Amino acid sequence: MGEHIAKSNFDERERMVFVQHLIDDIKSLETMIKERMIESDVVRIGAEQEMCLINSDYRPAAKSLEIIKAIDDPHFTTELASYNMEANLDPVQLGNECFRSMQEQLESLLKKARNKAEEHNTRILLTGILPTISRDELRMEFMTPILRYYKLNDILKAWRGDDFSVRIKGADELSLHHDSVLFEACNTSFQLHLQIPQDDFIKSYNWAQAISGPVLGTACNSPLLLGKELWRETRIALFQQSLDTRKWTKAVKEQVARVGFGERWQIASPAEIFKQDISTHRILLTKPIERSSLDVLREGKIPKLEALSLFNSTVYRWNRPCYGVGNGKPHLRIENRYIPSGPTVIDEIANFAFWVGLMVGRPTKYDDLPCIMDFREAKVNFLRAAQNGRQAMFSWMGRAMTVKKLVREELLPIAYEGLRKFQVNESDIVELLGIIDERVGKGTGADWQINNFRSLRKQIKLDSAIVQLTKAMYHNQLTNVPVHQWKNIEGMDKTMEAFHWVGQIMSTKLMKLYEDDYANLAIAIMQWNNIHHLPVENGKGELVGLLTWSHIEKLGRMDMHEVRVSDIMINEVITVEPKTEIEVAKKMMADHQIGCLPVCVDTHIVGIISKVDL
């Protein structure tokens, strides 16, 4: 997402030329594979760290451009939203102190980022989804002002032809429409890269798919979105739905999602995976390219395959094949995109070591996965892990196994063997894989968030709860103590200074009436629940009135059996928005001598604020 296309016209001429470059890139890749030009005598690892920017209230801070400019380090780049940014780690050869080296560089980059962020009254937080993100930060003004991002948004919206929909069901349910790709910006990840020898690529890619479920199950860190408790790794559902351009019709037809796990095992060359994606997904972005990769190859030079790389960056496989050039040599690698950011650097490096150890330690019995495991089994395991985390039950080679049993009995031994095969420092292996072993038994970042969120919600309102949770995550993260050792939140910090807007203190669990309801039923509902005011909606879900107990009492002894709510409700309703300042709302209630204010987004009520809330 970070590539800038400053000179692109995105016109039909550019698109036509780009298509030919894309076809040429596939031919060039096939030639390099056939002539065994792909670097295969060394294995390197690399990573990309996405991070959230937050202010002193632990809410999103849209300052990425200012902070990146102040850091002045090419390792850092922008992300889709202006409250996120990314640091790219240098690739290192697998072996010896590689993970310690990765950790040291990541900590150094984060320290640099934190120092410059502090100068802008901003903090850095690593988390899969920021608990305090709200609908307000998903508006277009929070998109990083870079041409590529705006073009991406415009094209996806045009293809969709309608608003995007998000519907995710967990302990709570989130169901809403949105009109931009910024929902994707809720997700931050720790993306892992592993270079693969060309002859082993297909076997490795299939193995990467097979282990995705259990690896994700040990690493979940994104259970909350917009104050809702959803999946243990909500990013998986959110990312797919936020970029879903498929059109739904009355006909049952096969459509491949742009974000996904894949549809089948791979059986041919790495180039075939790219061909599949080009065949099933439209070209999203283009850019001017000076020379054909085939011409570059004929001159004995190594092409960058710019068209293929750009296209590949807009197809979001959770395990994504990648082509690159390093030190003048072409290579292939697998990018693991499903690991969330956080909870701490040491947790991330442990996830990294576990995945890499599994990948390079693959036993020969798993070389031909299409013969021993149904692809749908791997796909369902991945979804179960995203939904249930370490509580998921997997089907593994025909056996039903818990995450704990599968990881401890089958996968950790493979990871140990793989890392030892590449002579990674034994002390690092024991420490990092020991964290995975402890975490799968004691709890992931998602487990910690959910346990504390539920506890906080019993004591304080939603907004205060997510602020307290985010604050605790931030301070725990600075200690770099792995998440399975984090203590639960005890006591309440003062949060009054964080209360600015009505949306932070309003009641959101609302009972509602409809304008054609009978008044006697409405009165009974108010008496049963000790409620003094109820909003009234029409058939479209729009706020059309308010029924209050004081207003009913003024009506005297009316026979309510045949009277409709629409006959007795207040029609001229004074409302506020979630971002209305609390002091303004308080003054409105005093000026109009009313006991409550409905909180609306457009014509739809999303909460209510009363004197009790104030």
Side-chain angles (χ1 to χ4, degrees), residues 38-325:
I38 303 297
E39 185 179 39
S40 297
D41 58 350
V42 64
V43 175
R44 296 185 182 87
I45 59 175
E48 303 166 56
Q49 175 71 71
E50 296 176 352
M51 59 196 81
C52 300
L53 305 178
I54 57 175
N55 60 25
S56 58
D57 290 341
Y58 301 94
R59 304 181 194 279
K63 295 189 176 181
S64 64
L65 291 180
E66 299 99 302
I67 293 170
I68 289 173
K69 182 179 179 181
I71 295 172
D72 192 24
D73 185 329
H75 289 94
F76 289 86
T77 187
T78 58
E79 280 290 304
L80 185 63
S82 53
Y83 43 78
N84 294 337
M85 62 185 192
E86 178 180 282
N88 295 293
L89 278 67
D90 298 324
V92 298
Q93 186 168 338
L94 178 61
N96 299 320
E97 299 182 350
C98 62
F99 291 107
R100 189 174 302 177
S101 172
M102 278 283 188
Q103 181 178 342
E104 288 173 355
Q105 187 188 22
L106 179 52
E107 288 173 343
S108 173
L109 290 172
L110 286 173
K111 182 179 179 180
K112 185 181 291 188
R114 287 183 176 123
N115 288 340
K116 293 301 180 182
E118 283 181 11
E119 295 175 6
H120 292 78
N121 298 314
T122 302
R123 299 167 177 174
I124 305 292
L125 183 67
L126 309 181
T127 181
I129 296 176
L130 180 63
T132 52
I133 202 165
S134 72
R135 283 297 301 268
D136 288 325
E137 289 84 32
L138 302 177
R139 301 193 309 266
M140 283 296 293
E141 54 260 44
F142 286 93
M143 183 175 285
T144 304
I146 289 174
L147 178 63
R148 182 185 185 194
Y149 300 143
Y150 290 121
K151 191 63 181 178
L152 182 76
N153 182 69
D154 292 344
I155 293 173
L156 289 175
K157 279 180 65 178
W159 287 356
R160 179 68 183 166
D162 195 1
D163 284 346
F164 293 86
S165 297
V166 170
R167 186 167 188 178
I168 308 172
K169 193 169 185 178
D172 299 321
E173 184 171 356
L174 179 67
S175 184
L176 48 81
H177 294 290
H178 61 103
D179 58 2
S180 80
V181 298
L182 265 180
F183 256 88
E184 185 273 330
C186 293
N187 300 305
T188 47
S189 60
F190 184 56
Q191 295 160 15
L192 317 178
H193 292 257
L194 176 64
Q195 186 174 334
I196 307 290
Q198 72 170 57
D199 291 342
D200 195 53
F201 194 89
I202 294 300
K203 295 174 184 176
S204 289
Y205 189 82
N206 285 339
W207 177 238
Q209 295 280 75
I211 63 174
S212 295
V215 171
L216 177 61
T218 67
C220 294
N221 194 40
S222 312
L224 303 174
L225 175 63
L226 302 183
K228 304 285 188 181
E229 181 188 327
L230 303 170
W231 291 11
R232 284 304 198 269
E233 192 53 43
T234 303
R235 287 171 48 258
I236 303 304
L238 178 62
F239 194 37
Q240 176 166 323
Q241 294 184 35
S242 63
L243 294 178
D244 196 349
T245 58
R246 293 175 294 178
K247 295 182 184 295
W248 304 114
T249 66
K250 294 180 180 179
V252 178
K253 59 180 182 179
E254 293 290 335
Q255 299 184 80
V256 179
R258 204 166 190 97
V259 178
F261 187 78
E263 304 300 317
R264 60 184 180 273
W265 297 120
Q266 301 300 323
I267 57 174
S269 127
E272 295 301 314
I273 308 177
F274 295 113
K275 288 181 181 179
Q276 290 167 20
D277 288 340
I278 295 170
S279 301
T280 52
H281 299 293
R282 298 166 69 184
I283 295 171
L284 232 176
L285 298 173
T286 61
K287 71 174 185 178
I289 298 172
E290 292 183 2
R291 300 190 63 204
S292 166
S293 58
L294 289 172
D295 292 339
V296 174
L297 200 57
R298 291 188 193 104
E299 294 174 1
K301 299 176 182 177
I302 303 301
K304 293 182 178 179
L305 307 187
E306 292 181 74
L308 180 60
S309 295
L310 177 56
F311 175 84
N312 194 45
S313 74
T314 66
V315 177
Y316 307 95
R317 289 176 176 263
W318 293 113
N319 290 297
R320 182 158 67 183
C322 296
Y323 167 88
V325 180

Side-chain angles (χ1 to χ4, degrees), residues 31-43:
T31 298
M32 287 186 282
I33 291 172
K34 183 179 179 181
E35 296 183 4
R36 309 191 65 76
M37 297 171 64
I38 303 297
E39 185 179 39
S40 297
D41 58 350
V42 64
V43 175

Side-chain angles (χ1 to χ4, degrees), residues 214-459:
V215 171
L216 177 61
T218 67
C220 294
N221 194 40
S222 312
L224 303 174
L225 175 63
L226 302 183
K228 304 285 188 181
E229 181 188 327
L230 303 170
W231 291 11
R232 284 304 198 269
E233 192 53 43
T234 303
R235 287 171 48 258
I236 303 304
L238 178 62
F239 194 37
Q240 176 166 323
Q241 294 184 35
S242 63
L243 294 178
D244 196 349
T245 58
R246 293 175 294 178
K247 295 182 184 295
W248 304 114
T249 66
K250 294 180 180 179
V252 178
K253 59 180 182 179
E254 293 290 335
Q255 299 184 80
V256 179
R258 204 166 190 97
V259 178
F261 187 78
E263 304 300 317
R264 60 184 180 273
W265 297 120
Q266 301 300 323
I267 57 174
S269 127
E272 295 301 314
I273 308 177
F274 295 113
K275 288 181 181 179
Q276 290 167 20
D277 288 340
I278 295 170
S279 301
T280 52
H281 299 293
R282 298 166 69 184
I283 295 171
L284 232 176
L285 298 173
T286 61
K287 71 174 185 178
I289 298 172
E290 292 183 2
R291 300 190 63 204
S292 166
S293 58
L294 289 172
D295 292 339
V296 174
L297 200 57
R298 291 188 193 104
E299 294 174 1
K301 299 176 182 177
I302 303 301
K304 293 182 178 179
L305 307 187
E306 292 181 74
L308 180 60
S309 295
L310 177 56
F311 175 84
N312 194 45
S313 74
T314 66
V315 177
Y316 307 95
R317 289 176 176 263
W318 293 113
N319 290 297
R320 182 158 67 183
C322 296
Y323 167 88
V325 180
N327 300 318
K329 296 181 180 180
H331 67 261
L332 291 168
R333 63 188 188 274
I334 294 173
E335 179 188 16
N336 176 331
R337 299 178 49 79
Y338 56 81
I339 299 294
S341 183
T344 64
V345 168
I346 192 66
D347 279 302
E348 291 181 328
I349 300 299
N351 294 335
F352 201 176
F354 183 40
W355 180 69
V356 169
L358 276 173
M359 289 296 297
V360 298
R362 183 188 77 246
T364 55
K365 65 179 180 180
Y366 296 125
D367 283 356
D368 192 5
L369 277 166
C371 291
I372 60 174
M373 187 180 190
D374 191 287
F375 181 79
R376 289 173 179 267
E377 194 173 291
K379 191 170 186 176
V380 169
N381 285 347
F382 184 73
L383 292 173
R384 286 175 176 167
Q387 290 170 329
N388 302 306
R390 69 187 184 100
Q391 285 82 26
M393 178 67 74
F394 293 146
S395 174
W396 183 258
M397 308 303 162
R399 297 167 56 202
M401 301 183 77
T402 63
V403 173
K404 182 194 284 190
K405 184 177 179 66
L406 176 57
V407 168
R408 285 183 168 171
E409 295 184 8
E410 300 279 339
L411 300 184
L412 275 173
I414 294 173
Y416 273 103
E417 185 66 26
L419 296 179
R420 285 167 179 156
K421 184 169 69 174
F422 279 83
Q423 299 179 334
V424 173
N425 280 3
E426 184 67 19
S427 59
D428 294 343
I429 296 174
V430 171
E431 179 189 12
L432 297 174
L433 296 187
I435 288 173
I436 300 298
D437 185 44
E438 288 288 311
R439 193 197 302 153
V440 81
K442 294 181 179 178
T444 63
D447 295 327
W448 184 90
Q449 286 189 48
I450 286 173
N451 291 340
N452 285 277
F453 177 69
R454 290 175 179 175
S455 176
L456 289 167
R457 285 294 284 124
K458 293 175 183 176
Q459 306 169 63

Side-chain angles (χ1 to χ4, degrees), residues 363-575:
T364 55
K365 65 179 180 180
Y366 296 125
D367 283 356
D368 192 5
L369 277 166
C371 291
I372 60 174
M373 187 180 190
D374 191 287
F375 181 79
R376 289 173 179 267
E377 194 173 291
K379 191 170 186 176
V380 169
N381 285 347
F382 184 73
L383 292 173
R384 286 175 176 167
Q387 290 170 329
N388 302 306
R390 69 187 184 100
Q391 285 82 26
M393 178 67 74
F394 293 146
S395 174
W396 183 258
M397 308 303 162
R399 297 167 56 202
M401 301 183 77
T402 63
V403 173
K404 182 194 284 190
K405 184 177 179 66
L406 176 57
V407 168
R408 285 183 168 171
E409 295 184 8
E410 300 279 339
L411 300 184
L412 275 173
I414 294 173
Y416 273 103
E417 185 66 26
L419 296 179
R420 285 167 179 156
K421 184 169 69 174
F422 279 83
Q423 299 179 334
V424 173
N425 280 3
E426 184 67 19
S427 59
D428 294 343
I429 296 174
V430 171
E431 179 189 12
L432 297 174
L433 296 187
I435 288 173
I436 300 298
D437 185 44
E438 288 288 311
R439 193 197 302 153
V440 81
K442 294 181 179 178
T444 63
D447 295 327
W448 184 90
Q449 286 189 48
I450 286 173
N451 291 340
N452 285 277
F453 177 69
R454 290 175 179 175
S455 176
L456 289 167
R457 285 294 284 124
K458 293 175 183 176
Q459 306 169 63
I460 52 180
K461 287 207 167 192
L462 175 61
D463 189 79
S464 296
I466 57 178
V467 169
Q468 293 279 4
L469 185 73
T470 306
K471 182 177 183 179
M473 289 165 58
Y474 171 76
H475 288 289
N476 280 335
Q477 196 168 97
L478 294 178
T479 68
N480 209 27
V481 172
V483 73
H484 69 268
Q485 295 179 17
W486 286 11
K487 292 180 172 60
N488 287 328
I489 300 172
E490 295 181 1
M492 293 294 104
D493 288 335
K494 291 182 180 179
T495 57
M496 285 297 294
E497 67 276 6
F499 291 158
H500 305 299
W501 307 292
V502 164
Q504 297 173 246
I505 63 171
M506 67 185 181
S507 298
T508 55
K509 297 286 186 182
L510 302 179
M511 290 186 180
K512 304 171 188 176
L513 297 172
Y514 292 90
E515 54 188 348
D516 60 350
D517 284 338
Y518 285 105
N520 59 342
L521 177 61
I523 291 170
I525 290 173
M526 294 175 79
Q527 290 173 332
W528 294 338
N529 294 282
N530 193 27
I531 295 172
H532 295 108
H533 34 253
L534 277 174
V536 183
E537 294 183 343
N538 61 18
K540 297 179 181 178
E542 299 170 321
L543 180 70
V544 292
L546 188 69
L547 193 62
T548 72
W549 194 253
S550 59
H551 186 62
I552 291 171
E553 289 178 335
K554 290 178 183 178
L555 296 174
R557 296 178 173 273
M558 283 184 64
D559 183 359
M560 298 295 182
H561 291 79
E562 297 181 2
V563 176
R564 303 277 187 172
V565 167
S566 57
D567 298 326
I568 62 171
M569 69 185 185
I570 299 170
N571 292 289
E572 298 297 325
V573 184
I574 300 168
T575 66

